[in-house]
């Protein structure tokens, strides 16, 4: 598991982009699928928005509400599937 203590109380757009960039390809797909179910929109749209933010080519910044929700999802790690053994 990744140590999420590096992320402060209020994550920024750059923090979210850095988190997304460090995920593996499969994790990126699961993460965007989860946030599309939780926040609406298509996984492809979320992938595009997060990649644009990460590459500093975003036309519009993420709204404060979206940043807060994404920060909450990342901090709680609720998007990762946990399987009982």
């Amino acid at each position: 598991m990744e140590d999420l203590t590096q992320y402060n109380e209020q994550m920024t757009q750059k923090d979210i982009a850095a988190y997304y960039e460090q995920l593996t390809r499969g994790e990126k797909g699961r993460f965007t699928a989860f946030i599309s179910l939780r926040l609406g929109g298509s996984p492809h749209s979320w992938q595009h928005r997060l990649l644009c933010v990460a590459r500093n080519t975003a036309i519009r910044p993420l709204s404060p509400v979206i940043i807060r929700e994404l920060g909450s999802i990342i901090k709680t790690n609720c998007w990762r599937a946990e399987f009982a053994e």
Side-chain angles (χ1 to χ4, degrees):
M1 284 272 182
E2 179 190 355
D3 179 24
L4 298 177
T5 57
Q6 65 180 332
Y7 300 110
N8 59 7
E9 186 68 28
Q10 178 68 21
M11 292 184 77
T12 65
Q13 206 170 255
K14 287 292 182 188
D15 294 333
I16 293 167
Y19 178 82
Y20 181 75
E21 282 288 303
Q22 62 88 28
L23 295 174
T24 64
R25 292 176 107 180
E27 288 177 325
K28 284 179 181 176
R30 286 188 291 279
F31 182 69
T32 55
F34 182 86
I35 60 176
S36 74
L37 289 172
R38 182 94 172 251
L39 303 176
S42 72
H44 176 71
S45 297
W46 282 108
Q47 177 189 35
H48 181 74
R49 289 185 76 185
L50 292 171
L51 287 173
C52 285
V53 169
R55 295 178 180 151
N56 208 17
T57 59
I59 296 171
R60 290 181 291 154
L62 298 173
S63 75
V65 173
I66 296 296
I67 291 172
R68 186 177 64 234
E69 287 299 313
L70 289 175
S72 172
I73 290 168
I74 291 168
K75 287 178 192 172
T76 60
N77 222 14
C78 63
W79 67 273
R80 292 184 187 268
E82 297 289 330
F83 298 102
E85 292 182 21

